[in-house]
Amino acid sequence: MTDDTTGDRADHVDRLRRQWARELPDLDTEPMAILGRAYRLSNLVRPGIEATFAGFGLDRGEFDVIGTLRRSGPPHRLTPTELYTALMISSGGLTHRLDRLEKAGLIRREKSPHDGRSVLVALTEAGAARAEAAFRADMAHESLCLQALDTRERAALAALLRKLIAGIETDPARSGGPG
């Protein structure tokens, strides 16, 4: 079965769109062609990414913390506020992750040298090594996921996704849901 518009083999999203077209012929389902595929893609690659991190004794959220600290550059320390802002999670969600990572010896909490009431989250040597190894393995896995696209196609898709995301990020009404 092929998609009538491109001649490519029909995928799950094409099947869903055909079903909706049959049931609600007056509704344009074109957004599903892009956003539905983005959602499906995320669901398809998530298990492999999670398995990669699990191989390093981490869940996705834990990797996000040590990865953020690692890519922040020396001295690989951030305030909890900087971390939860960068990760777009609640402070409570961060605290739970930090507790697990500290117990595993991958981070440590330090008093701020500038303000004794403040705490910094610092990556340990073991945490830095684990973050780097996990990220290298993740990039190898994600590269395998992209093999269906050549270099030019990857660049074009990245540019289009960047443009789409920028448009949504600059206009909160586009991502805020109905109403």
Side-chain angles (χ1 to χ4, degrees):
M1 180 179 355
T2 61
D3 177 353
D4 296 335
T5 60
T6 66
D8 291 334
R9 200 179 95 132
D11 68 0
H12 179 75
V13 175
D14 291 322
R15 289 186 290 277
L16 294 177
R17 289 184 71 199
R18 278 196 297 277
Q19 289 171 337
W20 279 117
R22 183 187 67 237
E23 297 299 315
L24 300 173
D26 63 310
L27 184 63
D28 181 6
T29 63
E30 190 259 347
M32 285 180 70
I34 297 167
L35 299 178
R37 283 189 175 92
Y39 182 72
R40 177 118 171 108
L41 177 62
S42 177
N43 287 337
L44 288 170
V45 300
R46 183 180 298 117
I49 292 170
E50 289 173 354
T52 297
F53 292 138
F56 291 90
L58 300 166
D59 66 25
R60 177 73 185 256
E62 293 164 341
F63 172 78
D64 287 346
V65 171
I66 65 172
T68 298
L69 289 166
R70 176 64 178 88
R71 73 173 185 266
S72 72
H76 307 292
R77 281 186 285 192
L78 296 170
T79 67
T81 301
E82 290 170 324
L83 272 172
Y84 73 71
T85 300
L87 298 171
M88 297 183 292
I89 61 171
S90 69
S91 60
L94 177 64
T95 299
H96 184 65
R97 291 177 191 181
L98 295 180
D99 290 344
R100 292 190 317 252
L101 291 167
E102 189 169 40
K103 187 175 180 179
L106 302 177
I107 60 114
R108 67 180 171 275
R109 292 175 172 117
E110 304 174 344
K111 287 191 176 191
S112 170
H114 307 294
D115 178 1
R117 297 170 297 166
S118 297
V119 173
L120 293 173
V121 179
L123 195 59
T124 64
E125 284 187 36
R130 181 101 45 105
E132 183 175 334
F135 185 63
R136 287 180 183 280
D138 179 50
M139 288 297 95
H141 167 74
E142 291 185 29
S143 289
L144 290 174
C145 294
L146 296 174
Q147 284 184 337
L149 303 175
D150 65 31
T151 303
R152 192 184 87 260
E153 290 167 328
R154 290 179 191 194
L157 180 57
L160 289 170
L161 290 171
R162 182 183 305 111
K163 182 178 180 179
L164 177 62
I165 290 169
I168 292 170
E169 287 177 341
T170 59
D171 183 0
R174 294 183 194 181
S175 63

